[in-house]
Each structure stands twice: as structure tokens, then as C-alpha cells.
Amino acid sequence: MRLLLVLFSVIFLASCSSKLAYNNLDWWVYWYMDDYIELKDEQEEKFDDYLQNWLRWHKTSELERYKAHLSEIKSQIKNGRLDSGAVQGHLVQAREHWERVRDEISPELVSIAKTLDDEQVVSLFAALEKDNKEEEEERLETLAKSEEKRLEERIERIEETISERIGKLSDEQKQIVATYASQFIPTGEEWLNYRRDIQNAARKLFVTRKFNKDFETELIALMQNPDTFKSDIYKQSSEHNQAVTATLISEIFTTLSDKQRDTLLKNIDELIETVENFKK
């Protein structure tokens, strides 16, 4: 699943080096994986073949979808139709982009997973738990701060994210951010529990990989249906936060100045150009 994140997140790089990053994903992936697992020569050879197949599939199947999605957003901005329902739709569509990549590559990842030896499996899950503990430490550091300080930092993060796309925020826009920032429900603890639950399920499954004839089918099902490991509280909080995000974005949109709207459209044009460059 972490590999999926690496493969997918490169798509959203919007810098002059983004095409270089996309075309050298094999280097990025191996650099990232090095902290978690060291593949043997035969495993690495098979993985190389799979990775090249994934990249070819992604260029031919997915990039045009991203371009169409960005173009739809651009059209709604130009026509003043980016309400909360439209934003919700775009958030759902973005998740669908992610899920297609996940579903495409998971069967071949699982075929390699079946060949991992005990030392590789132990190393992998030890590295994942190390990450979990680091995340937990960061969460506890955040909780040690006053509620007022946590809200202040959340407002700063949201303002920074928005200003990167539209430029300097007006006082009215800052007030909108402050209003909605207080409505988000913290999900750090539930998210960490979810991570550990799905990792523990995978760990138990790996124990059976040498004799379980259904190992590959069961691991693919685990990878392609991660939401089954989320608690009801986590799901409800996430849905609430997504709705708050959609309303916040739509309200900011109604206050855009001509300059901010032009800046936003320029950013989207740059993303579309980036995707086009990936296809070459």
C-alpha cells in the first residue's frame, strides 16, 4: 500500500522536474522501498518487469482520465459552478483514480509477496511498526498542545494550502477558514488503529503463505478492500471531514477575486500541461 502511494503521488507533482520524476519512477520506488524490504535478485527482476508494465498501463489508461478530470474542474471554475456538491464529486473521483491504480497493481505485488522469505517478512513489518510508533509520537506531541494552539496550527495549514493555489487570502477568506477549521474532527488515533489493524491482518496472512492455497486471493482482497478495517467512528469522522472540506472550498470559491481566479486557473493549466508532458 505504501508502494501504491509512491506510484500515485508522483502524478500530482507540479514542478519542472515532474516529468523526470514520472519517467524515473523505478528509481523513486526502489529508493522508497529500501527502508522496508530488500528484494533478492530474482524478486527484483520480476518487480522490474511488473513496474514497466504498470507504467505503460498508466500512461495509456490513466493520464487521459486525469486530464479530463482537471479540465472538468477548470470548466466549473470558469462557469462559476464549483459548489459543495461539485467539490464532493471531485473528491470521490480522485479516490477512484487511486483505487484503479491499487486494483491494477495489487495482484502482481501479491505474486511477489508470496516469494518473500521469513527474514524479509520480519523486516517489513518491523519497519512498518517503526513508522507507526513515529506517527504515534507525533500525535502525542500534538495532543500535548492546548486546543487553542492545535486549532491555530490547523488554520495555518489550511490557509497555506489554499494560498498556494489562489494567492494571498483576503480577511473574509481567512474568516471562512477559521470558521470551518474548528469543525474538523481529529482522526489521528482512529487512523493509527486502522493502520495497525490492517497490518496485523496482513502479518497473520503472511504466516500462512507457504501452505495456504488461497494466500494470494486473500491478500489481494485485503489490499483492495482496506475500508473493511476502518472503525465506524473513523468512517463517520472521515465522511464528516470530507463534507466540511467541500463546503469550505465552495465558500472560498464564491469570494475569489479576479486575480485569484486567474491564479487558480493558471495552476490548473500547469497541472494539465504536466499530465500532457507525462504522456510524451
Side-chain angles (χ1 to χ4, degrees), residues 203-236:
R203 190 200 310 266
K204 292 176 181 177
L205 193 52
F206 267 91
V207 172
T208 73
R209 69 192 182 284
K210 296 178 182 178
F211 57 83
N212 180 3
K213 62 182 178 59
D214 295 322
F215 170 78
E216 293 186 51
T217 301
E218 292 176 3
L219 186 53
I220 290 172
L222 184 151
M223 294 180 68
Q224 295 186 353
N225 299 280
D227 285 359
T228 59
F229 292 87
K230 294 179 180 179
S231 67
D232 289 340
I233 293 176
Y234 185 28
K235 290 178 183 177
Q236 292 164 8

Side-chain angles (χ1 to χ4, degrees), residues 4 7 18 22 35 38 56 97 114 122 136 143 163 212 243 260:
L4 286 167
L7 290 169
S18 55
Y22 185 80
D35 288 339
E38 182 177 348
R56 282 192 292 270
H97 294 325
K114 189 174 183 178
V122 169
E136 191 167 31
L143 289 176
S163 63
N212 180 3
Q260 288 175 325

